Structure formats: C-alpha cells, structure tokens
Amino acid sequence: MSISVFSVLSAMDLVLNVADYYVLTPYVYPESWLEDGTLRQIISLLVLTNLGAAVLYLGLGAISYYFVFDHKLMKHPHFLENQVQREIKYAMTSLPIISIPTVALFFAEVRGYSKLYDNVSDSPLGWSGLFLSMISFLFFTDMCIYWIHRFLHHKSIYKLFHKAHHIWKIPTPFASHAFHPLDGFMQGVPYHIYPFFFPLHKVLYLALYIFVNIWTISIHDGDYRVPGALTSVVNGAAHHTDHHLFFEYNYGQYFTLWDRLGGSYRHPSPLMGKGPHDVIRKLEAEGKLGSDGKANGNVRNGVTCKEE
C-alpha cells in the first residue's frame, strides 16, 4: 500500500523558505552559498526530506501503535517475533534511499515546473476549485496506486520488490512504510506527479499529504471499524488486512472502486467474523496459545493464510 511519508513536504518551496529563514541561512550555510543555488537546494531538500520522513513515520506510527492498534493482535500465529522492531528497522533503512529520486521531484517543484499555486485567486474556479482539486487528487491517486500496486504483484517482479512488505501478515502501524525502496517510491509517484498535471493550492497539498500519511498508517492499524454504509465503498484496515493475508485482493488505497472494476474486491473477513481477532479468540478458547500468549509453529501452519 502506498508510501507517502515524503509527500507531506511536497510544496517544498514553502518548507525550504521557512528552513532557510530560521535555520539554514543564519546558522548552517556560508554567505557565499546563495539560497537559490542548485547544490544548496539539493542538499537542503535531502536533509529536510529525511528529517521530515523520520518524524512523520515514527511520530504518527507511535501515536497509532500506542493509542489505536490492538496489541492482542500480537498473539496471532502469523505475528512475527520482534516484528515491530523489524518493521521500524526496514522502514528506516528504506526511507533514505527512497528520498534520492523523491528529491529530484521536489527540486522540480521548487524550480517552478509544477502547477502548484499560492493564492486562491490564482485558481480559475476560486474556492470551488479547492474542493474539486481535493476530490480529483483522491480519485486520481487512488486509480494510479491501484494499478501500480497490482503491477507490483505480478509474479515476474513480486518477489523482487513487493514481497518484503507482505512479510507482515498481521501488520502494525509501523508496517505502513516498511517497503523495499523501489516499491515505496513507485507507490508514492502518483502523489508527486499530480501537481505537474493539475493545479493545486500549496497549503491544500500539504494538508492532503498529512491526510495521506494518516490514512496509510490507519489501514495498517488493526482497527477494523467502518461505518456500515461505507463498508462497500471505503478501503479500510479490514480490507487491507485481507490484502496482507490473502495477497491478491483489495489493492486500492482509499476506495473499493477499482478493486470492483478490476475483479479483485474481497469482502473483509474481519467483518464476517473470520478475521485475526476471531482466530485469536478461537485459539484461546481451545487452549492453543502458550503461556506467553503466542501460538506455536504447528498452530501457525493451521491458520488460513495464502503463502505467495
């Protein structure tokens, strides 16, 4: 599922201007390094991108892990030993690599090649344009991510890149960005290219990407509650859990639209009484969990899960 932690810094000229004014110009760079110099901007973007990625991933991930994630899921037979530490380690080693091509796109934005704008008056549709661009952003990126995600599941390349993310059969919020670097970058591309094709207010761009990061973490947080009327429309944690468990279903990011059109929709097993929590309750009732609250290997092999 899409990685978007870098995108919160996408209106990078705003972030770069603030960093230059308060920190970089007075305390870091010599006077001979002009603020609009190519090398200085690239170095600054690399530093800000990696710092922002770490803060967002660890900060939002920790909030979700401690206040939303149900820790009983760690009793599930497919929850790995030291999984949380492994998820964090994998993400934190991948993010700096992903930042390299990402910064190239940020640099293009800073240099004015995108359609990002500063003021509502710059939009031909005014305030209504903000609302329309928000909706189109969600539907455009959802469509692109569906097909990129599905492509990454193709048998000829799956094991090379995307399988690393499917190690986490019962993901925690920290699995949200634990991708192979190429996988993570490819699934982040739709967020970056949208403002090169469509006008978008810079502040709205930042707000959308904060939302994207929260959403990406939320579909890995094990909270399967979805309002009944939205179950068939919104791709929530329950849907994405089945993607991790059964591999070839529910590729979407926000909506179920493209899964339905592409024939890959699966009604979530957690909403049918057949999800991870139900497995744990059954094992507890049968006395198949050890004294540490975890199942042994034999039990793990007997729990339904597709191995790719």
Side-chain angles (χ1 to χ4, degrees):
M1 187 53 58
S2 167
I3 182 170
S4 55
V5 72
F6 290 117
S7 304
V8 75
L9 297 175
S10 290
M12 281 302 293
D13 58 337
L14 294 178
V15 178
L16 198 56
N17 288 340
V18 172
D20 281 336
Y21 184 82
Y22 289 102
V23 179
L24 301 180
T25 296
Y27 303 114
V28 177
Y29 291 108
E31 292 184 4
S32 58
W33 286 49
L34 301 179
E35 290 186 358
D36 60 353
T38 299
L39 181 59
R40 169 170 167 165
Q41 286 186 336
I42 291 173
I43 293 173
S44 298
L45 288 171
L46 277 170
V47 172
L48 292 172
T49 296
N50 280 280
L51 180 60
V55 170
L56 282 171
Y57 168 65
L58 295 174
L60 294 175
I63 291 171
S64 180
Y65 178 75
Y66 287 110
F67 297 104
V68 180
F69 177 69
D70 187 345
H71 288 67
K72 290 182 180 178
L73 287 170
M74 299 170 79
K75 297 180 180 181
H76 193 279
H78 286 284
F79 194 88
L80 305 178
E81 184 176 359
N82 299 320
Q83 180 173 313
V84 174
Q85 295 92 321
R86 291 167 65 181
E87 289 170 342
I88 294 173
K89 180 179 179 181
Y90 199 97
M92 293 303 291
T93 54
S94 294
L95 291 176
I97 302 173
I98 299 171
S99 73
I100 297 173
T102 302
V103 162
L105 293 170
F106 288 163
F107 183 71
E109 290 179 2
V110 169
R111 291 289 176 160
Y113 292 104
S114 72
K115 296 180 181 292
L116 291 168
Y117 59 87
D118 292 287
N119 303 304
V120 176
S121 59
D122 296 328
S123 170
L125 298 177
W127 286 100
S128 61
L130 291 182
F131 176 76
L132 291 174
S133 62
M134 177 178 66
I135 299 302
S136 67
F137 175 89
L138 293 177
F139 277 95
F140 174 83
T141 56
D142 187 65
M143 175 189 68
C144 293
I145 289 167
Y146 173 84
W147 289 109
I148 292 171
H149 192 183
R150 190 159 183 170
F151 168 74
L152 288 164
H153 275 259
H154 191 278
K155 61 182 180 180
S156 64
I157 63 171
Y158 172 75
K159 291 183 179 180
L160 297 176
F161 307 114
H162 193 56
K163 187 173 182 178
H165 185 63
H166 277 266
I167 293 174
W168 331 113
K169 299 295 183 186
I170 305 295
T172 79
F174 291 112
S176 59
H177 296 81
F179 285 88
H180 182 284
L182 183 59
D183 182 358
F185 175 71
M186 287 182 65
Q187 293 202 60
V189 163
Y191 303 115
H192 301 301
I193 65 173
Y194 178 91
F196 287 93
F197 292 105
F198 308 102
L200 187 60
H201 194 286
K202 292 179 180 178
V203 175
L204 177 60
Y205 199 17
L206 295 175
L208 283 169
Y209 279 125
I210 291 173
F211 165 77
V212 166
N213 275 277
I214 293 172
W215 186 270
T216 302
I217 289 173
S218 75
I219 59 175
H220 293 86
D221 67 10
D223 186 346
Y224 307 136
R225 294 172 294 179
V226 178
L230 298 179
T231 299
S232 60
V233 177
V234 174
N235 180 74
H239 299 75
H240 197 62
T241 292
D242 272 5
H243 176 73
H244 276 257
L245 287 171
F246 304 111
F247 173 65
E248 54 194 8
Y249 304 100
N250 301 345
Y251 298 103
Q253 173 76 335
Y254 318 110
F255 310 115
T256 62
L257 173 63
W258 284 99
D259 279 301
R260 292 182 181 280
L261 293 175
S264 55
Y265 177 76
R266 175 189 173 103
H267 191 70
S269 59
L271 303 183
M272 297 188 294
K274 300 178 182 179
H277 286 102
D278 303 289
V279 169
I280 294 169
R281 282 192 289 268
K282 181 179 178 181
L283 293 176
E284 287 178 331
E286 295 174 351
K288 293 183 179 180
L289 295 182
S291 58
D292 59 355
K294 297 182 179 180
N296 58 41
N298 292 331
V299 172
R300 183 176 189 270
N301 293 334
V303 175
T304 303
C305 175
K306 182 170 180 178
E307 298 292 339
E308 321 83 61

